[in-house]
PDB file of all heavy atoms in Angstrom:
ATOM      1  N   GLU U 196    -151.486  84.262 -72.025  1.00 97.00           N
ATOM      2  CA  GLU U 196    -150.397  85.012 -71.585  1.00 97.00           C
ATOM      3  C   GLU U 196    -150.144  84.896 -70.110  1.00 97.00           C
ATOM      4  O   GLU U 196    -150.904  85.252 -69.260  1.00 97.00           O
ATOM      5  CB  GLU U 196    -150.596  86.529 -71.899  1.00 97.00           C
ATOM      6  CG  GLU U 196    -149.403  87.420 -71.541  1.00 97.00           C
ATOM      7  CD  GLU U 196    -149.585  88.825 -71.961  1.00 97.00           C
ATOM      8  OE1 GLU U 196    -149.793  89.075 -73.096  1.00 97.00           O
ATOM      9  OE2 GLU U 196    -149.633  89.688 -71.091  1.00 97.00           O
ATOM     10  N   PHE U 198    -147.099  82.717 -67.069  1.00 95.00           N
ATOM     11  CA  PHE U 198    -145.834  82.087 -66.872  1.00 95.00           C
ATOM     12  C   PHE U 198    -145.550  80.920 -67.810  1.00 95.00           C
ATOM     13  O   PHE U 198    -144.455  80.776 -68.302  1.00 95.00           O
ATOM     14  CB  PHE U 198    -145.806  81.609 -65.396  1.00 95.00           C
ATOM     15  CG  PHE U 198    -144.547  80.919 -65.033  1.00 95.00           C
ATOM     16  CD1 PHE U 198    -143.330  81.661 -64.902  1.00 95.00           C
ATOM     17  CD2 PHE U 198    -144.559  79.576 -64.792  1.00 95.00           C
ATOM     18  CE1 PHE U 198    -142.183  81.016 -64.571  1.00 95.00           C
ATOM     19  CE2 PHE U 198    -143.313  78.921 -64.403  1.00 95.00           C
ATOM     20  CZ  PHE U 198    -142.156  79.661 -64.347  1.00 95.00           C
ATOM     21  N   ALA U 201    -144.695  82.210 -71.172  1.00 96.00           N
ATOM     22  CA  ALA U 201    -143.403  82.811 -71.100  1.00 96.00           C
ATOM     23  C   ALA U 201    -142.268  81.795 -71.102  1.00 96.00           C
ATOM     24  O   ALA U 201    -141.240  81.963 -71.746  1.00 96.00           O
ATOM     25  CB  ALA U 201    -143.336  83.752 -69.853  1.00 96.00           C
ATOM     26  N   THR U 202    -142.500  80.732 -70.312  1.00 96.00           N
ATOM     27  CA  THR U 202    -141.481  79.678 -70.214  1.00 96.00           C
ATOM     28  C   THR U 202    -141.259  78.957 -71.549  1.00 96.00           C
ATOM     29  O   THR U 202    -140.166  78.684 -71.915  1.00 96.00           O
ATOM     30  CB  THR U 202    -141.918  78.648 -69.143  1.00 96.00           C
ATOM     31  OG1 THR U 202    -142.171  79.351 -67.949  1.00 96.00           O
ATOM     32  CG2 THR U 202    -140.805  77.591 -68.926  1.00 96.00           C
ATOM     33  N   LEU U 203    -142.397  78.695 -72.208  1.00 97.00           N
ATOM     34  CA  LEU U 203    -142.281  77.904 -73.422  1.00 97.00           C
ATOM     35  C   LEU U 203    -142.030  78.763 -74.631  1.00 97.00           C
ATOM     36  O   LEU U 203    -141.891  78.237 -75.735  1.00 97.00           O
ATOM     37  CB  LEU U 203    -143.597  77.143 -73.645  1.00 97.00           C
ATOM     38  CG  LEU U 203    -143.886  76.042 -72.546  1.00 97.00           C
ATOM     39  CD1 LEU U 203    -145.304  75.575 -72.634  1.00 97.00           C
ATOM     40  CD2 LEU U 203    -142.848  74.893 -72.661  1.00 97.00           C
ATOM     41  N   GLY U 204    -142.002  80.077 -74.463  1.00 97.00           N
ATOM     42  CA  GLY U 204    -141.717  80.923 -75.612  1.00 97.00           C
ATOM     43  C   GLY U 204    -142.919  80.979 -76.586  1.00 97.00           C
ATOM     44  O   GLY U 204    -142.707  81.055 -77.838  1.00 97.00           O
ATOM     45  N   ARG U 206    -146.372  82.999 -77.891  1.00 96.00           N
ATOM     46  CA  ARG U 206    -146.921  84.339 -77.832  1.00 96.00           C
ATOM     47  C   ARG U 206    -148.275  84.334 -77.067  1.00 96.00           C
ATOM     48  O   ARG U 206    -149.095  83.404 -77.353  1.00 96.00           O
ATOM     49  CB  ARG U 206    -147.112  84.888 -79.219  1.00 96.00           C
ATOM     50  CG  ARG U 206    -145.718  85.343 -79.905  1.00 96.00           C
ATOM     51  CD  ARG U 206    -145.938  85.941 -81.189  1.00 96.00           C
ATOM     52  NE  ARG U 206    -146.487  84.981 -82.113  1.00 96.00           N
ATOM     53  CZ  ARG U 206    -145.750  84.065 -82.776  1.00 96.00           C
ATOM     54  NH1 ARG U 206    -144.490  84.045 -82.686  1.00 96.00           N
ATOM     55  NH2 ARG U 206    -146.362  83.217 -83.549  1.00 96.00           N
ATOM     56  N   VAL U 275    -147.504  66.356 -72.342  1.00 96.00           N
ATOM     57  CA  VAL U 275    -146.813  66.370 -73.647  1.00 96.00           C
ATOM     58  C   VAL U 275    -146.509  67.889 -73.988  1.00 96.00           C
ATOM     59  O   VAL U 275    -147.433  68.687 -74.187  1.00 96.00           O
ATOM     60  CB  VAL U 275    -147.781  65.866 -74.760  1.00 96.00           C
ATOM     61  CG1 VAL U 275    -147.048  65.893 -76.159  1.00 96.00           C
ATOM     62  CG2 VAL U 275    -148.198  64.457 -74.434  1.00 96.00           C
ATOM     63  N   PRO U 276    -145.246  68.263 -73.991  1.00 97.00           N
ATOM     64  CA  PRO U 276    -144.882  69.676 -74.231  1.00 97.00           C
ATOM     65  C   PRO U 276    -145.355  70.053 -75.626  1.00 97.00           C
ATOM     66  O   PRO U 276    -145.218  69.321 -76.607  1.00 97.00           O
ATOM     67  CB  PRO U 276    -143.428  69.694 -74.121  1.00 97.00           C
ATOM     68  CG  PRO U 276    -142.997  68.402 -73.472  1.00 97.00           C
ATOM     69  CD  PRO U 276    -144.042  67.408 -73.771  1.00 97.00           C
ATOM     70  N   TYR U 277    -146.012  71.255 -75.709  1.00 98.00           N
ATOM     71  CA  TYR U 277    -146.452  71.821 -76.968  1.00 98.00           C
ATOM     72  C   TYR U 277    -147.451  70.886 -77.702  1.00 98.00           C
ATOM     73  O   TYR U 277    -147.487  70.824 -78.949  1.00 98.00           O
ATOM     74  CB  TYR U 277    -145.262  72.023 -77.939  1.00 98.00           C
ATOM     75  CG  TYR U 277    -144.238  72.972 -77.353  1.00 98.00           C
ATOM     76  CD1 TYR U 277    -143.023  72.515 -76.748  1.00 98.00           C
ATOM     77  CD2 TYR U 277    -144.373  74.375 -77.470  1.00 98.00           C
ATOM     78  CE1 TYR U 277    -142.102  73.382 -76.254  1.00 98.00           C
ATOM     79  CE2 TYR U 277    -143.431  75.259 -77.011  1.00 98.00           C
ATOM     80  CZ  TYR U 277    -142.325  74.748 -76.367  1.00 98.00           C
ATOM     81  OH  TYR U 277    -141.379  75.600 -75.877  1.00 98.00           O
ATOM     82  N   GLN U 321    -150.758  67.926 -86.614  1.00 95.00           N
ATOM     83  CA  GLN U 321    -149.417  67.329 -86.482  1.00 95.00           C
ATOM     84  C   GLN U 321    -148.395  68.278 -87.066  1.00 95.00           C
ATOM     85  O   GLN U 321    -147.647  68.020 -87.936  1.00 95.00           O
ATOM     86  CB  GLN U 321    -149.421  65.985 -87.186  1.00 95.00           C
ATOM     87  CG  GLN U 321    -148.139  65.254 -87.210  1.00 95.00           C
ATOM     88  CD  GLN U 321    -147.776  64.582 -85.854  1.00 95.00           C
ATOM     89  OE1 GLN U 321    -148.371  64.950 -84.841  1.00 95.00           O
ATOM     90  NE2 GLN U 321    -146.828  63.718 -85.809  1.00 95.00           N
ATOM     91  N   VAL U 322    -148.428  69.524 -86.555  1.00 95.00           N
ATOM     92  CA  VAL U 322    -147.529  70.547 -87.062  1.00 95.00           C
ATOM     93  C   VAL U 322    -146.960  71.314 -85.793  1.00 95.00           C
ATOM     94  O   VAL U 322    -147.327  71.081 -84.748  1.00 95.00           O
ATOM     95  CB  VAL U 322    -148.241  71.505 -88.031  1.00 95.00           C
ATOM     96  CG1 VAL U 322    -148.708  70.732 -89.271  1.00 95.00           C
ATOM     97  CG2 VAL U 322    -149.414  72.222 -87.321  1.00 95.00           C
ATOM     98  N   GLU U 323    -146.112  72.318 -86.134  1.00 96.00           N
ATOM     99  CA  GLU U 323    -145.619  73.230 -85.062  1.00 96.00           C
ATOM    100  C   GLU U 323    -146.807  73.864 -84.342  1.00 96.00           C
ATOM    101  O   GLU U 323    -147.894  74.189 -84.848  1.00 96.00           O
ATOM    102  CB  GLU U 323    -144.758  74.333 -85.688  1.00 96.00           C
ATOM    103  CG  GLU U 323    -143.570  73.861 -86.490  1.00 96.00           C
ATOM    104  CD  GLU U 323    -143.842  73.535 -87.912  1.00 96.00           C
ATOM    105  OE1 GLU U 323    -145.026  73.100 -88.262  1.00 96.00           O
ATOM    106  OE2 GLU U 323    -143.021  73.867 -88.817  1.00 96.00           O
ATOM    107  N   ASP U 325    -147.272  76.781 -83.244  1.00 96.00           N
ATOM    108  CA  ASP U 325    -147.702  78.082 -83.837  1.00 96.00           C
ATOM    109  C   ASP U 325    -148.650  77.941 -85.000  1.00 96.00           C
ATOM    110  O   ASP U 325    -149.502  78.731 -85.252  1.00 96.00           O
ATOM    111  CB  ASP U 325    -146.499  78.853 -84.430  1.00 96.00           C
ATOM    112  CG  ASP U 325    -145.628  79.446 -83.282  1.00 96.00           C
ATOM    113  OD1 ASP U 325    -146.206  79.621 -82.166  1.00 96.00           O
ATOM    114  OD2 ASP U 325    -144.449  79.826 -83.544  1.00 96.00           O
ATOM    115  N   HIS U 326    -148.412  76.819 -85.818  1.00 95.00           N
ATOM    116  CA  HIS U 326    -149.151  76.703 -87.064  1.00 95.00           C
ATOM    117  C   HIS U 326    -150.434  75.826 -86.922  1.00 95.00           C
ATOM    118  O   HIS U 326    -151.203  75.806 -87.903  1.00 95.00           O
ATOM    119  CB  HIS U 326    -148.202  76.108 -88.159  1.00 95.00           C
ATOM    120  CG  HIS U 326    -147.078  76.862 -88.356  1.00 95.00           C
ATOM    121  ND1 HIS U 326    -145.931  76.390 -88.981  1.00 95.00           N
ATOM    122  CD2 HIS U 326    -146.831  78.236 -88.164  1.00 95.00           C
ATOM    123  CE1 HIS U 326    -145.024  77.304 -89.106  1.00 95.00           C
ATOM    124  NE2 HIS U 326    -145.530  78.476 -88.617  1.00 95.00           N
TER     125      HIS U 326
ATOM    126  N   LEU M  87    -143.111  70.109 -91.481  1.00 92.00           N
ATOM    127  CA  LEU M  87    -141.904  69.847 -90.683  1.00 92.00           C
ATOM    128  C   LEU M  87    -141.794  68.313 -90.343  1.00 92.00           C
ATOM    129  O   LEU M  87    -140.771  67.764 -90.512  1.00 92.00           O
ATOM    130  CB  LEU M  87    -141.850  70.634 -89.408  1.00 92.00           C
ATOM    131  CG  LEU M  87    -140.780  70.369 -88.430  1.00 92.00           C
ATOM    132  CD1 LEU M  87    -139.372  70.648 -89.005  1.00 92.00           C
ATOM    133  CD2 LEU M  87    -140.969  71.154 -87.149  1.00 92.00           C
ATOM    134  N   HIS M 106    -135.450  76.432 -85.805  1.00 95.00           N
ATOM    135  CA  HIS M 106    -136.805  76.650 -86.366  1.00 95.00           C
ATOM    136  C   HIS M 106    -137.453  77.893 -85.704  1.00 95.00           C
ATOM    137  O   HIS M 106    -137.151  78.158 -84.495  1.00 95.00           O
ATOM    138  CB  HIS M 106    -137.682  75.407 -86.077  1.00 95.00           C
ATOM    139  CG  HIS M 106    -138.922  75.366 -86.913  1.00 95.00           C
ATOM    140  ND1 HIS M 106    -140.095  76.137 -86.716  1.00 95.00           N
ATOM    141  CD2 HIS M 106    -139.235  74.624 -87.998  1.00 95.00           C
ATOM    142  CE1 HIS M 106    -140.968  75.858 -87.573  1.00 95.00           C
ATOM    143  NE2 HIS M 106    -140.510  74.984 -88.340  1.00 95.00           N
ATOM    144  N   SER M 108    -140.473  78.343 -84.853  1.00 95.00           N
ATOM    145  CA  SER M 108    -141.628  78.035 -83.926  1.00 95.00           C
ATOM    146  C   SER M 108    -141.163  77.372 -82.601  1.00 95.00           C
ATOM    147  O   SER M 108    -140.444  76.335 -82.657  1.00 95.00           O
ATOM    148  CB  SER M 108    -142.623  77.106 -84.537  1.00 95.00           C
ATOM    149  OG  SER M 108    -143.382  77.844 -85.561  1.00 95.00           O
ATOM    150  N   SER M 109    -141.505  77.937 -81.556  1.00 97.00           N
ATOM    151  CA  SER M 109    -141.248  77.321 -80.249  1.00 97.00           C
ATOM    152  C   SER M 109    -141.795  75.873 -80.182  1.00 97.00           C
ATOM    153  O   SER M 109    -142.925  75.728 -80.607  1.00 97.00           O
ATOM    154  CB  SER M 109    -141.830  78.175 -79.066  1.00 97.00           C
ATOM    155  OG  SER M 109    -141.402  79.456 -79.145  1.00 97.00           O
ATOM    156  N   GLY M 110    -141.042  74.950 -79.705  1.00 97.00           N
ATOM    157  CA  GLY M 110    -141.529  73.597 -79.522  1.00 97.00           C
ATOM    158  C   GLY M 110    -141.332  72.711 -80.763  1.00 97.00           C
ATOM    159  O   GLY M 110    -141.660  71.549 -80.747  1.00 97.00           O
ATOM    160  N   HIS M 113    -139.475  69.690 -79.962  1.00 97.00           N
ATOM    161  CA  HIS M 113    -140.216  68.689 -79.243  1.00 97.00           C
ATOM    162  C   HIS M 113    -141.044  67.778 -80.137  1.00 97.00           C
ATOM    163  O   HIS M 113    -141.222  66.651 -79.956  1.00 97.00           O
ATOM    164  CB  HIS M 113    -141.071  69.352 -78.164  1.00 97.00           C
ATOM    165  CG  HIS M 113    -140.365  70.063 -77.058  1.00 97.00           C
ATOM    166  ND1 HIS M 113    -139.648  71.197 -77.233  1.00 97.00           N
ATOM    167  CD2 HIS M 113    -140.172  69.675 -75.780  1.00 97.00           C
ATOM    168  CE1 HIS M 113    -139.119  71.557 -76.101  1.00 97.00           C
ATOM    169  NE2 HIS M 113    -139.384  70.612 -75.177  1.00 97.00           N
ATOM    170  N   ARG M 117    -140.509  63.726 -80.638  1.00 95.00           N
ATOM    171  CA  ARG M 117    -141.649  62.788 -80.446  1.00 95.00           C
ATOM    172  C   ARG M 117    -141.709  61.781 -81.552  1.00 95.00           C
ATOM    173  O   ARG M 117    -142.134  60.658 -81.371  1.00 95.00           O
ATOM    174  CB  ARG M 117    -142.977  63.534 -80.340  1.00 95.00           C
ATOM    175  CG  ARG M 117    -143.373  63.868 -78.916  1.00 95.00           C
ATOM    176  CD  ARG M 117    -144.858  64.048 -78.794  1.00 95.00           C
ATOM    177  NE  ARG M 117    -145.445  65.140 -79.615  1.00 95.00           N
ATOM    178  CZ  ARG M 117    -145.401  66.385 -79.325  1.00 95.00           C
ATOM    179  NH1 ARG M 117    -144.759  66.802 -78.267  1.00 95.00           N
ATOM    180  NH2 ARG M 117    -145.917  67.309 -80.167  1.00 95.00           N
ATOM    181  N   ILE M 118    -141.378  62.262 -82.788  1.00 94.00           N
ATOM    182  CA  ILE M 118    -141.651  61.387 -83.969  1.00 94.00           C
ATOM    183  C   ILE M 118    -140.397  60.735 -84.528  1.00 94.00           C
ATOM    184  O   ILE M 118    -140.437  59.834 -85.322  1.00 94.00           O
ATOM    185  CB  ILE M 118    -142.431  62.182 -85.020  1.00 94.00           C
ATOM    186  CG1 ILE M 118    -141.624  63.336 -85.599  1.00 94.00           C
ATOM    187  CG2 ILE M 118    -143.774  62.632 -84.565  1.00 94.00           C
ATOM    188  CD1 ILE M 118    -142.291  64.057 -86.754  1.00 94.00           C
ATOM    189  N   MET M 130    -139.130  81.417 -79.679  1.00 95.00           N
ATOM    190  CA  MET M 130    -138.822  82.245 -78.507  1.00 95.00           C
ATOM    191  C   MET M 130    -138.510  81.397 -77.337  1.00 95.00           C
ATOM    192  O   MET M 130    -138.537  81.803 -76.178  1.00 95.00           O
ATOM    193  CB  MET M 130    -139.948  83.221 -78.265  1.00 95.00           C
ATOM    194  CG  MET M 130    -140.348  84.084 -79.390  1.00 95.00           C
ATOM    195  SD  MET M 130    -141.963  84.926 -79.281  1.00 95.00           S
ATOM    196  CE  MET M 130    -142.507  84.647 -77.675  1.00 95.00           C
ATOM    197  N   HIS M 131    -138.286  80.154 -77.555  1.00 97.00           N
ATOM    198  CA  HIS M 131    -138.240  79.168 -76.464  1.00 97.00           C
ATOM    199  C   HIS M 131    -136.832  79.029 -75.845  1.00 97.00           C
ATOM    200  O   HIS M 131    -136.478  79.576 -74.883  1.00 97.00           O
ATOM    201  CB  HIS M 131    -138.804  77.782 -76.857  1.00 97.00           C
ATOM    202  CG  HIS M 131    -138.703  76.751 -75.851  1.00 97.00           C
ATOM    203  ND1 HIS M 131    -138.226  75.493 -76.160  1.00 97.00           N
ATOM    204  CD2 HIS M 131    -139.052  76.736 -74.529  1.00 97.00           C
ATOM    205  CE1 HIS M 131    -138.233  74.721 -74.993  1.00 97.00           C
ATOM    206  NE2 HIS M 131    -138.751  75.477 -74.039  1.00 97.00           N
ATOM    207  N   ARG M 169    -134.040  82.878 -72.212  1.00 97.00           N
ATOM    208  CA  ARG M 169    -134.647  81.818 -71.495  1.00 97.00           C
ATOM    209  C   ARG M 169    -133.638  80.759 -71.096  1.00 97.00           C
ATOM    210  O   ARG M 169    -133.619  80.270 -69.975  1.00 97.00           O
ATOM    211  CB  ARG M 169    -135.813  81.220 -72.257  1.00 97.00           C
ATOM    212  CG  ARG M 169    -137.103  82.072 -72.136  1.00 97.00           C
ATOM    213  CD  ARG M 169    -138.178  81.643 -73.182  1.00 97.00           C
ATOM    214  NE  ARG M 169    -139.344  82.528 -73.085  1.00 97.00           N
ATOM    215  CZ  ARG M 169    -139.397  83.787 -73.547  1.00 97.00           C
ATOM    216  NH1 ARG M 169    -138.383  84.299 -74.146  1.00 97.00           N
ATOM    217  NH2 ARG M 169    -140.501  84.473 -73.425  1.00 97.00           N
ATOM    218  N   PRO M 193    -144.418  88.182 -68.961  1.00 87.00           N
ATOM    219  CA  PRO M 193    -145.087  88.130 -67.657  1.00 87.00           C
ATOM    220  C   PRO M 193    -144.597  86.977 -66.829  1.00 87.00           C
ATOM    221  O   PRO M 193    -144.339  85.886 -67.342  1.00 87.00           O
ATOM    222  CB  PRO M 193    -146.570  87.954 -68.107  1.00 87.00           C
ATOM    223  CG  PRO M 193    -146.501  87.329 -69.408  1.00 87.00           C
ATOM    224  CD  PRO M 193    -145.294  87.859 -70.087  1.00 87.00           C
ATOM    225  N   GLY M 194    -144.484  87.250 -65.508  1.00 89.00           N
ATOM    226  CA  GLY M 194    -144.091  86.156 -64.611  1.00 89.00           C
ATOM    227  C   GLY M 194    -142.671  85.826 -64.602  1.00 89.00           C
ATOM    228  O   GLY M 194    -142.269  84.789 -64.084  1.00 89.00           O
ATOM    229  N   ARG M 197    -140.746  84.631 -61.604  1.00 94.00           N
ATOM    230  CA  ARG M 197    -140.824  83.308 -61.114  1.00 94.00           C
ATOM    231  C   ARG M 197    -139.707  82.415 -61.591  1.00 94.00           C
ATOM    232  O   ARG M 197    -139.512  81.335 -61.107  1.00 94.00           O
ATOM    233  CB  ARG M 197    -142.188  82.706 -61.549  1.00 94.00           C
ATOM    234  CG  ARG M 197    -143.388  83.187 -60.771  1.00 94.00           C
ATOM    235  CD  ARG M 197    -144.677  82.758 -61.307  1.00 94.00           C
ATOM    236  NE  ARG M 197    -144.886  81.260 -61.254  1.00 94.00           N
ATOM    237  CZ  ARG M 197    -145.928  80.644 -61.768  1.00 94.00           C
ATOM    238  NH1 ARG M 197    -146.868  81.360 -62.345  1.00 94.00           N
ATOM    239  NH2 ARG M 197    -146.012  79.367 -61.636  1.00 94.00           N
ATOM    240  N   PHE M 198    -138.893  82.900 -62.501  1.00 94.00           N
ATOM    241  CA  PHE M 198    -137.679  82.182 -62.834  1.00 94.00           C
ATOM    242  C   PHE M 198    -136.615  82.346 -61.800  1.00 94.00           C
ATOM    243  O   PHE M 198    -135.473  81.794 -61.973  1.00 94.00           O
ATOM    244  CB  PHE M 198    -137.194  82.616 -64.248  1.00 94.00           C
ATOM    245  CG  PHE M 198    -137.941  82.198 -65.402  1.00 94.00           C
ATOM    246  CD1 PHE M 198    -138.813  83.076 -66.017  1.00 94.00           C
ATOM    247  CD2 PHE M 198    -137.807  80.943 -65.881  1.00 94.00           C
ATOM    248  CE1 PHE M 198    -139.576  82.683 -67.115  1.00 94.00           C
ATOM    249  CE2 PHE M 198    -138.594  80.487 -67.018  1.00 94.00           C
ATOM    250  CZ  PHE M 198    -139.424  81.438 -67.628  1.00 94.00           C
TER     251      PHE M 198
END
Side-chain angles (χ1 to χ4, degrees):
Chain U
E196 182 176 299
F198 179 70
T202 305
L203 294 169
R206 285 183 297 276
V275 180
Y277 301 97
Q321 181 72 344
V322 297
E323 301 87 324
D325 284 344
H326 300 157
Chain M
L87 171 63
H106 197 284
S108 287
S109 301
H113 291 75
R117 268 205 299 282
I118 62 175
M130 304 166 7
H131 175 229
R169 281 169 181 75
R197 283 174 65 185
F198 287 102

